[in-house]
Amino acid sequence: MADSSSSPRDEEPAGLNTAVPQTARIWNYWLGGKDNFPVDRQVGDQILEAFPAIVENARASRAFLARAVRYLVGEAGIRQFLDIGTGLPTADNTHQVAQAVAPESRIVYVDNDPIVLVHARALLTSTPEGKTAYIDADLRDPDTILKEAAATLDLTQPVAIMLMGILGHIADDDEARSIVERLLSAVSSGSYLTMNDGTDTSEEVVEAARIWNQSANPTYHLRSPERVARFFDGLELVEPGVVSPPRWRPEPSPSGPPAAIDSYCGVGRKP
Ligand SMILES: C[S@@+](CC[C@H](N)C(=O)[O-])C[C@H]1O[C@@H](n2cnc3c(N)ncnc32)[C@H](O)[C@@H]1O
């Protein structure tokens, strides 16, 4: 299926578990996409009721991704991206943002959800000068990801590792940090970590995570902003540091600094 917008809402591609709500499909629902099923919309609506800001949260997270990629390509000179936990294709996918600035950019996408694999062709629309690839793999297996990514990316040159809304799916901080360290150990000096994850910064978001973890797969674990910041230990943080996504290098606005949401993000450079 080349175009994710062409699939009927409730069609069930073979091999997908449409009885259990899945993170990529619920996220797609909140972002206004069509690649989701009744079970996803049901839990998505339950969470919306407890935490109406989730839609704004999802949009602000995608807007941070676009600003971070523009910074990495335009100001930091990055031409290679490893985007793990890609999600379903949407507007402004990493390769579209990067290649709009530098058409020679190479992007490797990774996700382990079968529905993302079904729609992956929409992520492979590279410019002729650049390249995109998709790996069906689990973040918990960074060695496989690195081995397969090396077919597209030159790991002796800087790479931006993107972990957007995925580390919350790894409950244990030590496990999550050791995955991040393994990924960073395989890329050259001058590479970057870009991440964003939900934080336990309001009662509503804590309730939303409780509802999520009752029924959706995989479970999602909110961290404090301080625990999010620890993923950047040993890296040089790009200004303004670890902040809520709307506050990371926002476009200038006459109405002043944007309001924070219940997630934190940052961009760090490997020295
Ligand atoms: C909340 S979505 C975020 C999508 C996208 N990165 C964004 O920011 O819009 C999380 C994505 O991570 C993927 N994911 C969750 N756990 C994973 C794992 N262990 N390995 C690979 N992908 C995973 C899910 O399938 C889903 O597509």
Side-chain angles (χ1 to χ4, degrees):
M1 206 172 302
D3 177 1
S4 63
S5 64
S6 65
S7 84
R9 269 188 134 202
D10 297 334
E11 188 183 315
E12 293 196 13
L16 292 186
N17 184 349
T18 59
V20 177
Q22 301 284 329
T23 176
R25 303 190 314 232
I26 300 171
W27 193 245
N28 169 265
Y29 175 52
W30 290 329
L31 284 169
K34 293 187 299 175
D35 303 316
N36 45 72
F37 296 93
V39 284
D40 308 311
R41 298 194 284 276
Q42 197 185 338
V43 80
D45 284 340
Q46 250 179 295
I47 291 175
L48 254 176
E49 210 170 296
F51 180 46
I54 187 66
V55 168
E56 182 45 33
N57 203 316
R59 287 191 192 133
S61 296
R62 292 298 307 184
F64 162 66
L65 181 149
R67 290 199 306 285
V69 171
R70 269 187 225 110
Y71 165 82
L72 289 163
V73 180
E75 294 186 46
I78 292 291
R79 296 292 180 269
Q80 307 193 96
F81 291 82
L82 179 55
D83 182 345
I84 309 174
T86 307
L88 280 154
T90 178
D92 288 341
N93 300 297
T94 299
H95 74 283
Q96 290 160 326
V97 180
Q99 293 183 342
V101 182
E104 71 274 26
S105 300
R106 293 173 167 242
I107 291 87
V108 171
Y109 291 110
V110 183
D111 207 290
N112 70 344
D113 189 322
I115 199 164
V116 182
L117 178 63
V118 166
H119 292 285
R121 219 187 306 163
L123 297 167
L124 302 178
T125 54
S126 177
T127 54
E129 303 91 324
K131 201 164 179 189
T132 55
Y134 182 82
I135 303 172
D136 179 23
D138 196 307
L139 175 65
R140 289 189 169 83
D141 185 7
D143 288 334
T144 295
I145 292 175
L146 290 164
K147 188 165 151 256
E148 294 192 25
T152 304
L153 307 178
D154 176 357
L155 300 185
T156 68
Q157 296 299 312
V159 176
I161 297 168
M162 317 281 294
L163 296 171
M164 312 288 280
I166 184 173
L167 285 174
H169 288 300
I170 312 268
D172 184 73
D173 281 27
D174 289 342
E175 184 186 5
R177 268 208 304 277
S178 99
I179 292 169
V180 172
E181 280 163 18
R182 173 70 192 107
L183 292 168
L184 283 168
S185 74
V187 293
S188 73
S189 155
S191 291
Y192 284 81
L193 170 68
T194 300
M195 74 153 289
N196 174 34
D197 250 309
T199 48
D200 56 4
T201 35
S202 74
E203 279 177 25
E204 290 82 2
V205 75
V206 170
E207 173 61 7
R210 192 192 63 77
I211 297 169
W212 178 288
N213 290 335
Q214 270 179 347
S215 46
N217 183 52
T219 56
Y220 192 86
H221 305 274
L222 299 167
R223 293 189 160 94
S224 65
E226 294 74 26
R227 283 167 68 199
V228 169
R230 289 213 51 205
F231 288 112
F232 293 95
D233 283 358
L235 303 180
E236 295 161 355
L237 269 176
V238 171
E239 285 298 320
V242 178
V243 294
S244 191
R247 294 182 171 172
W248 196 90
R249 298 182 172 238
E251 309 295 341
S253 156
S255 51
I261 59 170
D262 291 312
S263 68
Y264 271 68
C265 69
V267 177
R269 181 180 183 276
K270 180 175 171 178

